[in-house]
């Protein structure tokens, strides 16, 4: 028995130490490679369901169901969707362990523009609550996992109010715990390629939305937008009832909610994540005893890649190990 306990502890220790592939020699390679080149082959095909929100909008959910009573609910990142490789990879890893999975799309992220004159944002926990309540109709055991913006959303959701006790555990990967410093970091030269992609997609959606709902926003303000912070100042904040970008960041940064989280929760961030800051990568951040904050040396942003045909990524194995240890 002692041998097996020792073996398990060694295996657990190795699992918790990410070693990046030799060819991914810096944080940008670690971040970009999985986003551009990873392909996830999944034998389980999703069934899409559209649910109506309380304000008459809609959310598109992808269900992977095998008849389990355990459900994983997945939250994607900024300008992501349910079919991104990191979402598919995590879904497959948990499906293979007997979970059902709900991978959902934020408003305007499923390929069809949403109906109301709002979008999604880092603190829109009302939509996550809608999805959770849908899951609670059929499942006794819920796990929440979020990536980047979705990680912030997950942590804020768990810490801002007492949640249903059938939510048993959570994992948040590559989380900008402090939204203000994260936004300002995105606006620095080292993050130009990421900022440009995000801004182009976000501004394109604003223009599409204005064709659907003319005048829903002052288009003259779009000329002033040259950064993530200015987008939040002129679009995110006024659309969602905040006084400005700083008010939006202060109200929705998940770091202030960590001390209230009452379910076992793993935060997994990489020390070399190009989108995160020292203020975020602070192992001494205030949190409850239920929250474990692991900062790996490498990993990039939503990376943790492994080479090899269709192998699970390290972050997926780590998330599984954490969730199974809190069963």
């Amino acid at each position: 028995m002692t041998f097996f306990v020792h073996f398990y502890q060694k295996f657990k220790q190795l699992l918790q130490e990410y070693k990046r592939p030799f060819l991914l020699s810096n944080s940008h390679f670690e971040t970009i490679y999985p986003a551009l080149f990873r392909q996830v082959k999944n034998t389980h095909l999703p069934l899409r369901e559209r649910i109506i929100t309380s304000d008459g909008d809609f959310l598109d959910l992808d269900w992977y169901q095998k008849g389990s009573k355990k459900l994983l609910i997945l939250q994607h990142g900024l300008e992501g969707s349910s079919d991104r490789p990191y979402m598919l990879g995590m879904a497959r890893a948990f499906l293979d362990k007997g979970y059902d999975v709900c991978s959902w799309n934020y408003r305007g992220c499923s390929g069809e523009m949403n109906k109301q004159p709002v979008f999604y944002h880092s603190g829109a926990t009302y939509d996550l609550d809608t999805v959770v309540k849908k899951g609670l109709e059929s499942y006794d055991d819920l796990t929440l996992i979020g990536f980047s913006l979705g990680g912030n959303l997950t942590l804020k959701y768990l810490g801002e109010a007492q949640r249903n006790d059938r939510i048993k555990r959570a994992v948040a990967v590559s989380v900008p715990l402090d939204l203000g410093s994260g936004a300002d970091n995105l606006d620095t030269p080292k993050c130009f390629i990421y900022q440009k992609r995000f801004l182009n997609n976000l501004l394109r959606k604003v223009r599409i939305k204005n064709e659907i709902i003319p005048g829903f926003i002052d288009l003259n303000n779009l000329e002033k937008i040259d950064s993530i912070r200015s987008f939040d100042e002129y679009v995110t904040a006024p659309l969602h009832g905040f006084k400005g970008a700083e008010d939006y960041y202060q109200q929705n940064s998940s770091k202030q909610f960590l001390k209230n989280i009452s379910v076992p929760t793993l935060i997994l961030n990489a020390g070399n994540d190009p989108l995160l800051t020292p203020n975020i990568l602070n192992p001494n951040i205030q949190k409850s005893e239920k929250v474990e904050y692991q900062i790996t040396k490498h990993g990039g942003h939503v990376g943790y890649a492994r080479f090899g045909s269709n192998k699970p990524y390290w972050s997926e194995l780590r998330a599984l190990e954490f969730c199974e240890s809190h069963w």
Side-chain angles (χ1 to χ4, degrees):
M1 181 64 71
T2 303
F3 169 79
F4 289 107
V5 171
H6 177 73
F7 177 81
Y8 173 75
Q9 293 297 333
K10 292 294 292 183
F11 173 75
K12 183 177 180 180
Q13 182 180 358
L14 288 172
L15 186 61
Q16 293 180 1
E17 297 174 358
Y18 172 67
K19 300 293 189 298
R20 67 183 179 186
F22 175 75
L23 294 178
L24 302 182
S25 58
N26 67 51
S27 62
H28 297 293
F29 290 163
E30 289 185 80
T31 300
I32 293 170
Y33 171 81
L36 294 183
F37 300 110
R38 187 184 188 190
Q39 295 183 344
V40 179
K41 298 176 182 178
N42 199 332
T43 57
H44 306 281
L45 298 178
L47 178 65
R48 175 154 292 188
E49 178 184 15
R50 176 164 293 184
I51 61 175
I52 306 303
T53 61
S54 60
D55 63 348
D57 217 331
F58 66 89
L59 300 171
D60 285 335
L61 285 55
D62 286 352
W63 291 93
Y64 300 82
Q65 294 177 303
K66 302 170 62 178
S68 176
K69 297 303 291 183
K70 301 183 296 183
L71 177 67
L72 168 64
I73 298 178
L74 288 174
Q75 289 69 247
H76 60 75
L78 179 64
E79 285 305 283
S81 60
S82 62
D83 60 359
R84 292 299 168 91
Y86 60 85
M87 295 283 279
L88 296 174
M90 192 66 77
R92 182 186 62 188
F94 276 75
L95 280 165
D96 289 346
K97 285 293 184 178
Y99 289 73
D100 282 5
V101 177
C102 175
S103 180
W104 66 287
N105 298 274
Y106 309 148
R107 301 187 191 213
C109 291
S110 65
E112 181 178 338
M113 186 55 66
N114 63 303
K115 295 180 178 180
Q116 297 298 327
V118 295
F119 288 116
Y120 66 95
H121 65 79
S122 297
T125 52
Y126 43 83
D127 282 343
L128 175 54
D129 190 52
T130 298
V131 177
V132 167
K133 286 178 178 175
K134 182 67 178 178
L136 289 171
E137 293 176 3
S138 305
Y139 294 89
D140 299 326
D141 182 293
L142 269 62
T143 299
L144 307 181
I145 296 183
F147 299 88
S148 195
L149 179 150
N152 189 84
L153 190 70
T154 299
L155 297 173
K156 178 175 180 281
Y157 178 77
L158 291 174
E160 69 183 356
Q162 185 64 39
R163 299 302 180 182
N164 192 290
D165 60 10
R166 282 183 282 166
I167 301 173
K168 302 296 186 182
R169 62 201 70 80
V171 178
V173 181
S174 300
V175 195
L177 300 167
D178 182 271
L179 297 177
S181 67
D184 291 339
N185 181 61
L186 265 173
D187 294 330
T188 59
K190 69 173 183 176
C191 290
F192 172 79
I193 188 172
Y194 312 111
Q195 185 230 51
K196 191 71 173 175
R197 174 182 173 272
F198 288 142
L199 274 184
N200 285 344
N201 286 345
L202 291 166
L203 290 171
R204 177 181 57 83
K205 284 186 175 179
V206 170
R207 294 186 177 98
I208 293 173
K209 174 75 75 174
N210 193 65
E211 293 176 0
I212 299 171
I213 309 176
F216 94 107
I217 197 166
D218 185 355
L219 290 182
N220 292 325
N221 284 334
L222 298 192
E223 298 178 3
K224 305 174 186 177
I225 295 174
D226 59 359
S227 65
I228 295 297
R229 181 176 280 269
S230 59
F231 180 87
D232 290 333
E233 181 72 29
Y234 294 113
V235 179
T236 307
L239 281 184
H240 301 101
F242 302 105
K243 297 175 183 177
E246 192 58 35
D247 181 48
Y248 161 60
Y249 298 148
Q250 289 185 7
Q251 289 198 45
N252 295 286
S253 292
S254 57
K255 67 177 183 179
Q256 64 189 301
F257 299 99
L258 300 181
K259 61 183 179 294
N260 300 324
I261 293 177
S262 59
V263 300
T265 299
L266 171 67
I267 301 172
L268 183 62
N269 280 344
N272 71 340
D273 188 327
L275 275 63
L276 303 185
T277 65
N279 189 35
I280 294 168
L281 296 167
N282 176 9
N284 298 316
I285 198 165
Q286 187 178 8
K287 61 189 187 306
S288 83
E289 63 180 11
K290 294 290 188 179
V291 177
E292 178 182 343
Y293 189 6
Q294 180 178 358
I295 302 174
T296 58
K297 183 177 181 179
H298 298 129
H301 189 74
V302 193
Y304 295 108
R306 295 177 72 201
F307 287 158
S309 178
N310 217 31
K311 287 184 178 179
Y313 274 19
W314 181 87
S315 52
E316 294 152 13
L317 296 175
R318 179 70 180 103
L320 269 172
E321 185 276 328
F322 178 84
C323 291
E324 294 293 277
S325 69
H326 291 89
W327 176 245

